[in-house]
């Protein structure tokens, strides 16, 4: 199973953009993770608009599931979620606070703790 690590990047620090992604890779190794941070365009977004969007869409298309880190709103994350939902992908969303009806609607599963993220993803891996 392949999974896309969906969450904010633009305007975030290294820790904010990468720590949770690295944690997922280590703690949930049964999923082959696709990490858009492999193409870190922070500070050069306006010169790479097409490359950023088309690469992210191709990555999502190649995956079975998204892990969404929804601690704060992000335009790119929101658009990736809608694209993935329309493509029939499973979406596990981590949202520790109040959740938007739009985010809840487009998510397959919404959880509020890291332990619940792991449980939900392992459940997805076990699905037939």
């Amino acid at each position: 199973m392949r999974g896309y690590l969906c969450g904010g990047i633009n305007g975030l620090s290294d820790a904010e953009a990468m720590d949770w992604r690295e944690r997922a890779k280590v703690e949930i190794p049964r999923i082959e993770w696709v990490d858009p941070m492999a193409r870190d365009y922070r500070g050069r977004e306006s010169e790479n608009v097409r490359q950023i969007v088309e690469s992210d869409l191709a990555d999502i298309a190649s995956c079975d599931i998204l892990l969404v880190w929804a601690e704060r709103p992000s335009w790119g994350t929101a658009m990736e979620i809608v694209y993935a939902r329309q493509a029939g992908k499973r979406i596990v969303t981590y949202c520790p606070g109040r959740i938007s009806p739009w985010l809840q609607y487009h998510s397959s599963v919404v959880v509020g703790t890291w332990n619940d993220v792991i449980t939900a993803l392992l459940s997805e891996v076990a699905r037939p």
Side-chain angles (χ1 to χ4, degrees):
M1 174 175 281
R2 286 173 54 91
Y4 182 79
L5 296 167
C6 181
I9 295 173
N10 190 8
L12 299 181
S13 69
D14 284 350
E16 292 169 322
M18 297 188 310
D19 285 359
W20 70 269
R21 288 178 166 96
E22 294 305 317
R23 186 174 181 189
K25 292 175 198 175
V26 169
E27 294 184 24
I28 313 159
R30 293 179 59 193
I31 296 175
E32 177 189 346
W33 292 109
V34 177
D35 185 353
M37 282 300 296
R39 301 178 300 271
D40 187 355
Y41 288 105
R42 288 176 297 167
R44 301 175 291 124
E45 293 91 350
S46 61
E47 298 90 37
N48 295 285
V49 170
R50 179 180 298 264
Q51 180 66 25
I52 292 167
V53 174
E54 290 180 359
S55 296
D56 290 351
L57 292 175
D59 283 347
I60 293 167
S62 77
C63 289
D64 306 294
I65 192 168
L66 268 69
L67 170 55
V68 177
W69 195 260
E71 280 192 321
R72 65 178 66 164
S74 161
W75 281 105
T77 300
M79 292 182 186
E80 289 173 344
I81 292 166
V82 171
Y83 174 78
R85 169 74 188 255
Q86 291 175 339
K89 307 297 180 177
R90 299 285 297 165
I91 301 169
V92 173
T93 300
Y94 167 77
C95 186
R98 292 183 60 188
I99 185 166
S100 158
W102 279 80
L103 182 57
Q104 188 170 5
Y105 176 86
H106 285 85
S107 299
S108 307
V109 178
V110 178
V111 297
T113 70
W114 183 254
N115 285 339
D116 290 341
V117 167
I118 293 172
T119 299
L121 288 169
L122 292 176
S123 175
E124 291 294 328
V125 169
R127 286 172 57 107

